Amino acid sequence: MQAKLIYTKGLKHVLIIGFGLLMLYPVLWLISSSFKPNQLIFSQPGLWPSRFTLDNYINGWRGLSGISFGTFFMNSAVISVLSVLGNVITCSLAAFAFARLNFRFKSLLFALMLVTIMVPYHVTLIPQYIIFNELEWINTYYPLVLPKWLATDSFFILLMVQFIRGIPRELDESATIDGCGQSQIYWRIILPLLLPALITTAIFTFIWTWDDFFSQMIYLSDIRLFTVQLGIRSLFDPSGSSDWGALLAMSTLSLVPISLIFMIFQRYFLEGIATTGLK
Amino acid sequence: MRAAKRLKISQHNRTAYLFLLPWLIGFLGLTAGPMLGSLYLSLTKFDLLSPPTWIGLDNYRQIFTEDNTFSGSLWLTFTYVFLSVPLRLIFALLVAMALNKGIRALGIYRTVYYIPSLLGGSVAIAIVWRQIFDGEGAVNKLLGFFGITGPSWISHPDYIVYTIVTLSIWQFGSAMVIFLAGLKQVPGDLYEAAQMDGAGKIGQFFKITLPMLTPVIFFNLIMSMINSFQVFTPAFVIGDGRGGPLDATMFYTLYLYLQGFSYFNMGYAAALAWLMLLIIGGFTAILFLTSKFWVFYGDSKDGR
């Protein structure tokens, strides 16, 4: 009986590990191919490179039309960090108001905020494009970053509202007695306690902005402003004549920042997903 | 006294609206305003260069009566949504069940299964997908190992959509993490009681686990449906970026993008966008309305 139990348990682990390796295969294939000489990438199926080279990284880093991938990484980082700051600051301000303050039209505005979670980006895209075009902001980062500084990702507001509702109101009340105004309550009491939700927001904003392709493609056509995603897409020629080594090397590098963030903030990730259903 | 009170209330209002100001500007200027704007544009002919000309419902008439690409892209998107959303959730639930029973090294497995969700949205992974599903790629080599000759998944218009569906199912990890959290909430004494009543494993699953998870499933279903309707990057990168082969990757958002930003039929694209909003809104409403028949909230307050 005991032996059988150990046996089935062991079998289960083998299955789970085997399935896990299968799941990771595409990622492992990408990493291993990026170290293979170009002619071996498709001819040698094994994951371990029989000849190991860094040429792909050197070639790929040169980038496109004289603009190196370093620039693309810098650009992506600037957009992502500015978006993170915008979302964290403005969503938490709005969430504080919705969760703690009383004001006219509160329930109406809250309902409208909830509805906007469902609204696809595409419905606002064309008028937004027209506005940004009128402002001559095409080929700048404003169209990508400004929406985050105006709390348009209402999903995060909802996340923070729910979190703030869990913070005991007695804390606010005793701060009021000590003479704190609302802005001090926000700054000294709510914000520090909201930290886990802020980190979740920051992580997911970073990843979504880093991986964003659609709006970057629409607003950026000047190669000097290109992001990592746009750079990779431009290295890639669907008709088949791409420099695959360079392409896969830069693709591998493009996943590094996200993976690092995941490793550092793993706990917040899994908690954030579990409590909010973020992707 | 009353005046003082009113003063206090208006002060309250002012503080609150100061906090709300960025959101309010964004809501009016970047969400609500543009939504109405695109409703207006959808009733016009507009190419960005000359001012819009009013054509009434002509765009919609054209979409429904003359535009075969529209109906094709809508069906393609429906196929994608109705295959990938349920399959991803079923996968997530099965793996979560397998991992749930106090297994050792759960943390590591959870991380491994989550990695696809983490990386899957990038252009990089879409390119990898294109390669491993290519005629000579890893998938067909694996099938060949079992003696099956796989089709050329990428270049054949009948199969490429399944390539994109698998990419979506592959990212079941985030849903799995949510299910794992949900499974932890199911009280153990329910299972004990069921066992005493003689319920088998399968009976327990359908009578206890599944009903207790319905709030989580409901939430997952809505969010993944809304997101799946908007799929763009895989269609753009795995296909040729113009909907090919033979419009087999002409997903709704790609068609909208091409109409708006390649052909500069911005009025037409706005009409497509509003139809998309109505479709997503319709499905969300259906899910909400049917939820009272199948979502079990029990008596716990934070069932969600």
Side-chain angles (χ1 to χ4, degrees):
Chain A
M1 184 69 195
Q2 192 70 21
K4 194 179 164 227
L5 194 71
I6 292 173
Y7 179 73
T8 47
K9 266 200 171 167
L11 189 71
K12 196 172 161 186
H13 277 272
V14 169
L15 279 176
I16 291 174
I17 293 171
F19 187 59
L21 285 176
L22 192 70
M23 293 289 298
L24 286 185
Y25 177 82
V27 182
L28 299 175
W29 180 85
L30 171 65
I31 298 169
S32 109
S33 302
S34 73
F35 291 108
K36 287 178 185 171
N38 241 328
Q39 67 273 19
L40 285 185
I41 291 177
F42 299 117
S43 59
Q44 189 217 32
L47 280 181
W48 193 254
S50 63
R51 267 193 18 241
F52 186 89
T53 175
L54 285 174
D55 287 351
N56 295 331
Y57 284 86
I58 298 164
N59 291 336
W61 194 256
R62 284 199 204 109
L64 300 148
S65 333
I67 312 289
S68 94
F69 247 85
T71 309
F72 301 155
F73 270 91
M74 208 46 220
N75 294 341
S76 276
V78 167
I79 297 173
S80 303
V81 169
L82 288 177
S83 300
V84 166
L85 288 175
N87 258 355
V88 165
I89 294 169
T90 58
C91 289
S92 69
L93 286 171
F96 177 70
F98 280 127
R100 281 299 205 257
L101 304 178
N102 286 314
F103 50 92
R104 281 184 76 180
F105 308 121
K106 178 173 167 175
S107 42
L108 173 69
L109 290 176
F110 189 68
L112 287 173
M113 190 273 291
L114 289 182
V115 169
T116 58
I117 295 179
M118 191 198 76
V119 173
Y121 177 60
H122 309 81
V123 183
T124 57
L125 171 69
I126 288 165
Q128 276 191 19
Y129 185 86
I130 295 167
I131 296 170
F132 293 137
N133 188 39
E134 287 293 314
L135 293 166
E136 300 193 350
W137 280 358
I138 308 299
N139 273 319
T140 69
Y141 295 149
Y142 294 118
L144 302 173
V145 171
L146 182 79
K148 315 287 176 188
W149 283 86
L150 296 174
T152 48
D153 284 346
S154 32
F155 193 88
F156 294 120
I157 303 180
L158 176 63
L159 164 73
M160 293 185 199
V161 166
Q162 285 180 331
F163 200 95
I164 294 174
R165 281 180 181 158
I167 298 172
R169 268 183 190 272
E170 289 79 31
L171 292 176
D172 302 29
E173 281 154 17
S174 58
T176 314
I177 294 167
D178 290 346
C180 285
Q182 295 296 357
S183 45
Q184 278 173 311
I185 292 177
Y186 163 77
W187 183 250
R188 295 210 181 141
I189 303 205
I190 300 295
L191 220 44
L193 291 171
L194 192 58
L195 195 64
L198 297 180
I199 292 178
T200 306
T201 302
I203 292 170
F204 282 96
T205 307
F206 186 91
I207 293 178
W208 291 345
T209 317
W210 187 270
D211 274 351
D212 173 35
F213 175 65
F214 189 67
S215 51
Q216 294 176 356
M217 182 173 71
I218 282 175
Y219 287 111
L220 306 174
S221 57
D222 181 346
I223 195 165
R224 282 167 301 179
L225 298 173
F226 264 26
T227 59
V228 174
Q229 306 297 331
L230 293 177
I232 291 175
R233 182 59 179 77
S234 312
L235 278 182
F236 172 59
D237 172 10
S239 63
S241 55
S242 317
D243 176 355
W244 278 97
L247 176 63
L248 297 177
M250 291 307 105
S251 295
T252 308
L253 279 189
S254 80
L255 302 178
V256 169
I258 294 177
S259 309
L260 278 181
I261 286 184
F262 177 64
M263 280 185 239
I264 299 168
F265 294 106
Q266 217 190 98
R267 190 166 63 90
Y268 290 100
F269 253 93
L270 299 172
E271 272 172 18
I273 302 157
T275 50
T276 64
L278 283 167
K279 188 170 137 50
Chain B
M1 182 68 196
R2 188 179 276 176
K5 199 177 171 194
R6 201 180 294 152
L7 185 72
K8 208 175 161 209
I9 288 173
S10 81
Q11 256 176 352
H12 266 225
N13 274 335
R14 215 170 53 208
T15 333
Y17 277 103
L18 273 178
F19 275 98
L20 271 184
L21 194 61
W23 174 78
L24 211 55
I25 297 172
F27 174 72
L28 295 174
L30 293 176
T31 309
M35 278 177 74
L36 295 176
S38 68
L39 184 60
Y40 163 72
L41 285 176
S42 77
L43 304 170
T44 67
K45 195 171 168 54
F46 180 51
D47 61 2
L48 200 66
L49 299 171
S50 42
T53 44
W54 181 268
I55 54 168
L57 291 171
D58 212 41
N59 283 328
Y60 292 97
R61 188 194 53 77
Q62 203 183 331
I63 288 174
F64 284 118
T65 57
E66 290 164 21
D67 190 345
N68 288 328
T69 316
F70 163 77
S71 44
S73 74
L74 192 60
W75 283 123
L76 180 69
T77 309
F78 277 150
T79 312
Y80 171 78
V81 172
F82 290 125
L83 280 177
S84 67
V85 172
L87 284 174
R88 185 169 55 210
L89 291 189
I90 290 170
F91 242 86
L93 185 57
L94 287 178
V95 178
M97 296 282 296
L99 292 183
N100 183 43
K101 298 272 159 58
I103 197 165
R104 232 186 262 176
L106 168 68
I108 298 170
Y109 294 144
R110 200 172 51 176
T111 306
V112 166
Y113 288 129
Y114 181 69
I115 286 175
S117 292
L118 178 74
L119 306 176
S122 59
V123 174
I125 292 296
I127 289 175
V128 170
W129 223 254
R130 198 189 152 92
Q131 272 336 107
I132 61 176
F133 273 87
D134 211 12
E136 299 287 299
V139 171
N140 278 351
K141 286 200 176 109
L142 184 72
L143 288 176
F145 185 75
F146 293 106
I148 305 165
T149 316
S152 46
W153 298 94
I154 301 296
S155 49
H156 198 298
D158 288 350
Y159 296 113
I160 190 164
V161 61
Y162 300 110
T163 314
I164 300 172
V165 169
T166 38
L167 175 55
S168 160
I169 300 172
W170 183 61
Q171 301 171 52
F172 69 81
S174 53
M176 179 202 71
V177 172
I178 303 172
F179 282 136
L180 277 173
L183 285 170
K184 246 192 244 164
Q185 308 276 317
V186 182
D189 45 357
L190 282 183
Y191 292 109
E192 278 165 35
Q195 248 168 3
M196 289 221 248
D197 291 346
K201 286 260 184 254
I202 295 168
Q204 285 178 27
F205 175 77
F206 283 106
K207 296 255 161 65
I208 299 172
T209 314
L210 211 51
M212 293 298 279
L213 280 181
T214 46
V216 184
I217 294 174
F218 176 60
F219 181 73
N220 258 319
L221 206 55
I222 288 201
M223 292 313 283
S224 17
M225 188 205 65
I226 293 176
N227 286 328
S228 298
F229 266 111
Q230 303 178 47
V231 61
F232 181 83
T233 310
F236 190 84
V237 177
I238 296 177
D240 60 2
R242 313 209 50 89
L246 285 176
D247 281 356
T249 57
M250 189 62 93
F251 279 78
Y252 199 88
T253 50
L254 180 57
Y255 184 48
L256 194 156
Y257 164 77
L258 292 175
Q259 281 291 354
F261 293 90
S262 284
Y263 317 143
F264 290 101
N265 295 328
M266 292 214 155
Y268 200 78
L272 288 173
W274 259 88
L275 286 175
M276 179 179 179
L277 176 70
L278 294 178
I279 292 167
I280 291 181
F283 275 101
T284 313
I286 291 173
L287 279 177
F288 265 101
L289 289 176
T290 59
S291 71
K292 66 169 179 243
F293 299 112
W294 63 274
V295 179
F296 175 76
Y297 281 106
D299 45 25
S300 77
K301 253 195 350 203
D302 64 23
R304 179 175 54 89

